[in-house]
């Protein structure tokens, strides 16, 4: 018998010996998702779009890439890669459907943010009336590594202000409302509240001012997200999805069609 087989056989014997031993009490879980538990210690993040050399040299739109870091320490949390059809980016531009894949520090694709519908004016004319993103997280406890839908974010039409609502779970339980400024150019602040009529801000999504030259010559924006207090990592991930919807809706560039 080979050495590997011997070790495997001995391991099976040891496992069988454990069957009669008392089972220790389960450790208390401090997070709803073990693979995202470290987000519980994060109160504010910064999201920065990375320049693409091909885009600058060719003059054509390329898939976006971002990094997400903890704002206070600068620690890298996720790398973000956009996945979409190239022709859709050329035709629909900022209104394109996409999947953003978030890869953690262990190089695991752990989160995906999906904009499921094409909403360009040329296709259906509903760009300013309806838009949404869905937030999915991979279940590493499952043998198939299947995906769980954590929630989604919807934009609602309003003639004066950008309005969004944040929903948790498949059933769509409303958790937060987001209101934006009348003018979204330059540095802008979107307020996270319990409802649209609430006057108490709980968190902030902010488009940072990148300087006059960069603001008008590039699309490589920087955002910050200050989470509401006392929320778990599940809601934090959904709010990251809200930030990306705001980015594509108002700061990605021309809507093309």
């Amino acid at each position: 018998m080979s050495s590997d087989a011997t070790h495997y056989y001995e391991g099976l014997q040891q496992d069988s010996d454990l069957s009669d031993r008392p089972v220790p009490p389960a450790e208390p879980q401090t997070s709803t998702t073990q693979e995202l538990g470290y987000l519980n210690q994060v109160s504010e993040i910064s999201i920065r779009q990375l320049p693409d050399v091909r885009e600058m040299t060719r003059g054509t739109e390329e898939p976006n890439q971002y990094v997400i870091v903890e704002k206070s320490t600068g620690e890298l949390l996720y790398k973000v890669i956009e996945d979409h059809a190239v022709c859709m980016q050329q035709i629909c531009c900022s209104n394109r459907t996409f999947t953003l894949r978030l890869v953690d520090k262990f190089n695991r694709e752990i989160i995906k943010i999906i904009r499921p519908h094409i909403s360009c004016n040329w296709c259906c004319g509903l760009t300013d009336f309806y838009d949404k993103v869905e937030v999915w997280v991979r279940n590493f406890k499952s043998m198939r590594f299947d995906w769980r839908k954590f929630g989604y974010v919807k934009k609602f039409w309003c003639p004066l202000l950008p309005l969004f609502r944040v929903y948790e779970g498949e059933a769509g339980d409303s958790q937060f409302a987001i209101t934006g400024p009348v003018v979204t150019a330059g540095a802008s602040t979107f307020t996270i509240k319990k409802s649209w009529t609430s006057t108490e801000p709980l968190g902030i999504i902010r488009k940072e001012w990148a300087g006059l030259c960069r603001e008008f010559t590039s699309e490589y924006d920087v955002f910050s997200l200050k989470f509401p207090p006392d929320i778990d990592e599940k809601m934090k991930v959904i709010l990251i999805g809200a930030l990306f919807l705001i980015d594509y809706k108002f700061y990605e560039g021309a809507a093309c069609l």
Side-chain angles (χ1 to χ4, degrees):
M1 183 180 294
S2 66
S3 59
D4 292 340
T6 301
H7 291 315
Y8 176 71
Y9 179 73
E10 291 175 351
L12 291 179
Q13 283 186 321
Q14 293 172 0
D15 290 341
S16 63
D17 293 339
L18 294 175
S19 59
D20 296 331
R21 298 182 184 179
V23 179
E27 294 182 1
Q29 294 294 326
T30 57
S31 63
T32 58
T33 5
Q34 184 177 2
E35 57 270 17
L36 297 175
Y38 55 88
L39 282 180
N40 278 332
Q41 310 301 320
V42 178
S43 60
E44 190 171 3
I45 62 173
S46 178
I47 298 180
R48 176 167 54 92
Q49 185 174 351
L50 300 177
D52 192 303
V53 176
R54 296 171 299 175
E55 189 172 295
M56 292 185 292
T57 55
R58 298 176 186 175
T60 58
E61 290 288 336
E62 299 291 338
N64 290 348
Q65 297 185 49
Y66 305 82
V67 290
I68 302 178
V69 301
E70 185 176 358
K71 192 165 186 180
S72 60
T73 64
E75 179 185 1
L76 177 65
L77 300 176
Y78 300 106
K79 294 178 289 184
V80 185
I81 303 170
E82 180 185 0
D83 183 14
H84 68 268
V86 176
C87 60
M88 187 173 296
Q89 183 167 4
Q90 306 303 323
I91 295 174
C92 297
C93 296
S94 62
N95 292 318
R96 61 188 178 271
T97 182
F98 59 74
T99 297
L100 296 177
R101 306 188 182 277
L102 279 66
V103 180
D104 69 4
K105 62 183 71 177
F106 303 108
N107 207 31
R108 302 180 300 176
E109 183 186 343
I110 195 169
I111 304 166
K112 61 183 179 182
I113 300 170
I114 301 174
R115 195 186 200 181
H117 303 297
I118 301 174
S119 59
C120 61
N121 294 332
W122 183 79
C123 295
C124 57
L126 297 177
T127 303
D128 294 324
F129 293 89
Y130 173 80
D131 206 348
K132 73 180 247 183
V133 293
E134 299 174 353
V135 180
W136 296 73
V137 175
R138 176 164 283 176
N139 183 7
F140 285 93
K141 295 181 180 179
S142 168
M143 294 297 293
R144 296 179 298 174
F145 301 111
D146 53 348
W147 292 89
R148 294 167 291 178
K149 185 177 179 181
F150 268 18
Y152 57 94
V153 183
K154 288 179 63 175
K155 178 186 180 296
F156 289 82
W157 182 83
C158 176
L160 298 177
L161 299 173
L163 299 179
F164 300 84
R165 194 175 288 280
V166 181
Y167 298 90
E168 181 181 6
E170 287 279 359
D173 299 325
S174 178
Q175 299 295 321
F176 296 106
I178 300 175
T179 59
V182 176
V183 180
T184 57
S188 304
T189 298
F190 292 75
T191 305
I192 304 170
K193 302 183 290 186
K194 195 62 181 175
S195 67
W196 288 327
T197 57
S198 174
T199 58
E200 181 184 0
L202 301 176
I204 290 175
I205 296 174
R206 182 172 177 80
K207 160 70 169 60
E208 305 287 357
W209 177 255
L212 188 64
C213 181
R214 185 171 178 177
E215 286 288 336
F216 292 98
T217 60
S218 73
E219 300 173 359
Y220 307 123
D221 298 316
V222 178
F223 292 85
S224 61
L225 168 54
K226 185 175 183 179
F227 296 112
D230 302 324
I231 64 171
D232 61 18
E233 72 282 357
K234 191 172 184 177
M235 285 307 306
K236 290 180 179 180
V237 170
I238 302 173
L239 288 173
I240 291 175
L243 185 150
F244 279 112
L245 179 57
I246 290 171
D247 178 23
Y248 278 81
K249 201 68 188 172
F250 300 106
Y251 304 104
E252 174 62 11
C256 291
L257 297 174

